[in-house]
Amino acid sequence: MKNYFYTWTDQSKAKHFEFESAANHILSLKDNKKVYDLSSLSCQASFGHSCDEIIQSIQKQMVSFSMASPKADFSLKENVTNSLLKLLKLKGKIFYTVSGAESIENALKMARDIKQKKIIVARQKSYHGATLGALSVTGDWRNLSHETLDDWTLRIPEPKDDPDATQAISLMNKCGVQKIAAICLETVTGGNGVFLADQKWWDKISSYCNKKQIFLILDEVLCGFYRTGPPFGFQDYNLRPDFVTLSKSITGGYIPFGAVYTSLEVAKYYDDHVLSCGLTNYAHPLGLAALDAILKLTASKDFLENLIQRELEFESMLRAIEKLDSVKEVRYKGLLAAIDMHRPPSFDDFLNNGNYLMVGDKTIILAPALNYSAEDFKKALHFFKTTLENRNG
Ligand SMILES: Cc1ncc(COP(=O)(O)O)c(C=O)c1O
């Protein structure tokens, strides 16, 4: 047994492996074994492990200053915030954090504070982070062992079981809109299986929010930054969120970092009310430097052209494996996919056959890096497809 914990597992049954180094999209394990990462680690290593632009930007910033007071104004902070708001195509302000869970916590705190209401509406299937507030809106096994704010959460059914949101709306009416501060949703459910809601469902939910003056919090910690195609997942559904929570790909995993977009209405509220939110490493300059590099590199024609090609190749591989007997269902959008298997998939099987992947009980989550080269991507997908083809049932 090691002297450190593994996350989300019984320690004696933890899946782990000897890791030595990483380059581009390849992890080097013990005995010089190389595996292609098809999940961007936990969906954060979206620009691979050797992204010169990000590394150089962080290094340059370290030489200038590596830390800053939350009170400090500096051009990097202002310029990056402007560029992020531009990419979001929304007016408002950004609150910086150091993780996805903290982005959610701060959005929930602000929503409850402004509305002076406690209830947050959340989906049956969702993941929003490991802190108690974020876990209380999370809908999966991870909140079962903790006492979370269940009385403050209203669960609505999954969109596939309620395609025109009739049940969701009736549950909210029954609860009483005077008690509801916000609806908190992953725009595209990520780790829990890539479940997409139709435009009709989003239209109903967003117009209900508008009509009843309920905040819409969109969790884009996983699906933000081109993961599902557009810069942000909500841009495909014509939504105007009050909060958008971001992390993971915001720095490609190079620095722990996160952000919360807040609308003008939220921003204005705090012009003359105390914003009772903060953290020691607020707007960390190294996080901002990584984000700066990502905003610049994703704006390039080369990045976008390469991304579209990889999306097409990914889709064609998914279409092919859909036909295998071992595969039950495939769901995907952009470079994010869930593959439900008839039999539990094995993390070790994939690792032994050349791929690092996120593997659940019966579902594989794929989230390859957004800047894979054509050659490496072909190899990575080939190993994956071959492992699946060689499974029986
Ligand atoms: C949609 C979503 N929200 C929030 C989180 C929490 O992020 P973190 O682990 O950085 O706290 C995750 C992490 O997987 C996530 O997928």
Side-chain angles (χ1 to χ4, degrees):
M1 282 277 206
K2 302 281 189 195
N3 56 359
Y4 43 80
F5 288 110
Y6 299 101
T7 57
W8 304 116
T9 183
D10 180 330
Q11 299 299 297
S12 59
K13 294 184 190 143
K15 288 270 169 235
H16 52 105
F17 58 94
E18 297 289 333
F19 171 63
E20 289 187 348
S21 63
N24 296 319
H25 308 102
I26 301 172
L27 310 182
S28 296
L29 315 184
K30 207 176 150 196
D31 302 327
N32 212 20
K33 189 174 165 47
K34 310 261 187 236
V35 293
Y36 286 83
D37 180 3
L38 274 182
S39 291
S40 299
L41 299 181
S42 300
C43 305
Q44 81 275 36
S46 298
F47 304 93
H49 298 258
S50 321
C51 184
D52 284 341
E53 292 93 329
I54 302 176
I55 294 169
Q56 281 165 20
S57 183
I58 295 170
Q59 282 173 339
K60 195 171 142 223
Q61 186 55 43
M62 274 188 118
V63 175
S64 170
F65 55 92
S66 303
M67 301 153 242
S69 154
K71 293 183 173 58
D73 294 322
F74 45 97
S75 59
L76 177 70
K77 194 166 168 181
E78 192 165 340
N79 295 342
V80 168
T81 306
N82 275 338
S83 306
L84 180 58
L85 286 168
K86 226 177 189 176
L87 191 67
L88 281 158
K89 298 196 183 117
L90 295 170
K91 287 200 164 46
K93 274 193 185 178
I94 302 292
F95 182 89
Y96 287 104
T97 72
V98 295
S99 71
E102 275 179 287
S103 296
I104 286 286
E105 289 294 341
N106 283 290
L108 298 181
K109 277 171 70 177
M110 288 187 221
R112 286 186 170 124
D113 177 34
I114 296 173
K115 296 285 182 195
Q116 290 292 299
K117 297 171 185 176
K118 286 197 176 71
I119 302 239
I120 307 287
V121 178
R123 257 167 84 162
Q124 293 284 0
K125 261 191 212 257
S126 50
Y127 182 65
H128 297 291
T131 51
L132 283 179
L135 266 185
S136 69
V137 281
T138 285
D140 76 13
W141 64 274
R142 284 172 280 198
N143 66 8
L144 299 180
S145 13
H146 303 284
E147 197 150 330
T148 57
L149 307 168
D150 284 347
D151 293 350
W152 291 8
T153 308
L154 174 71
R155 295 262 165 228
I156 54 168
E158 282 298 289
K160 76 173 164 43
D161 303 321
D162 183 26
D164 52 11
T166 313
Q167 292 177 56
I169 287 167
S170 126
L171 282 164
M172 289 189 273
N173 285 337
K174 206 163 144 205
C175 162
V177 286
Q178 72 282 2
K179 296 186 200 151
I180 301 175
I183 305 187
C184 176
L185 306 163
E186 285 177 80
T187 316
V188 174
T189 308
N192 274 304
V194 191
F195 292 101
L196 302 164
D198 289 342
Q199 186 66 52
K200 187 164 81 176
W201 190 85
W202 281 115
D203 288 346
K204 286 279 179 64
I205 293 287
S206 65
S207 78
Y208 189 80
C209 284
N210 275 339
K211 217 169 17 184
K212 306 288 182 184
Q213 298 288 295
I214 296 170
F215 282 138
L216 178 61
I217 302 173
L218 293 180
D219 183 348
E220 297 239 355
V221 165
L222 192 150
C223 69
F225 292 96
Y226 298 88
R227 173 55 58 204
T228 63
F232 298 98
F234 72 87
Q235 291 169 339
D236 266 349
Y237 298 102
N238 194 27
L239 298 167
R240 297 209 67 80
D242 300 285
F243 297 88
V244 182
T245 59
L246 302 167
S247 191
K248 294 195 188 267
S249 307
I250 194 168
T251 59
Y254 283 79
I255 301 281
F257 198 60
V260 186
Y261 157 79
T262 74
S263 66
L264 274 181
E265 178 198 340
V266 172
K268 281 204 178 111
Y269 177 86
Y270 287 110
D271 284 349
D272 47 18
H273 291 86
V274 173
L275 173 65
S276 182
C277 299
L279 55 156
T280 304
N281 286 307
Y282 181 81
H284 197 284
L286 301 185
L288 291 169
L291 172 56
D292 187 35
I294 286 168
L295 292 169
K296 285 175 182 149
L297 85 91
T298 53
S300 81
K301 199 165 151 249
D302 282 356
F303 169 81
L304 293 170
E305 281 175 5
N306 190 67
L307 177 64
I308 290 167
Q309 277 312 310
R310 299 298 86 81
E311 285 173 352
L312 292 172
E313 291 152 11
F314 191 53
E315 179 169 28
S316 124
M317 185 281 291
L318 293 169
R319 286 264 157 88
I321 60 152
E322 216 165 16
K323 301 188 185 104
L324 297 173
D325 288 343
S326 56
V327 173
K328 198 171 160 198
E329 190 176 293
V330 176
R331 296 174 295 278
Y332 62 92
K333 187 157 171 37
L335 284 183
L336 178 66
I339 300 155
D340 291 345
M341 306 294 293
H342 287 291
R343 270 197 308 116
S346 151
F347 173 78
D348 288 339
D349 238 18
F350 288 106
L351 202 66
N352 291 332
N353 290 301
N355 285 130
Y356 175 87
L357 310 169
M358 280 168 70
V359 169
D361 275 354
K362 285 211 167 167
T363 304
I364 299 163
I365 303 291
L366 298 184
L370 309 168
N371 63 343
Y372 248 105
S373 69
E375 196 186 332
D376 279 353
F377 201 46
K378 197 169 167 190
K379 284 188 200 150
L381 295 185
H382 169 75
F383 287 136
F384 177 68
K385 190 163 168 260
T386 310
T387 313
L388 279 190
E389 283 165 352
N390 291 339
R391 273 171 65 98
N392 310 311

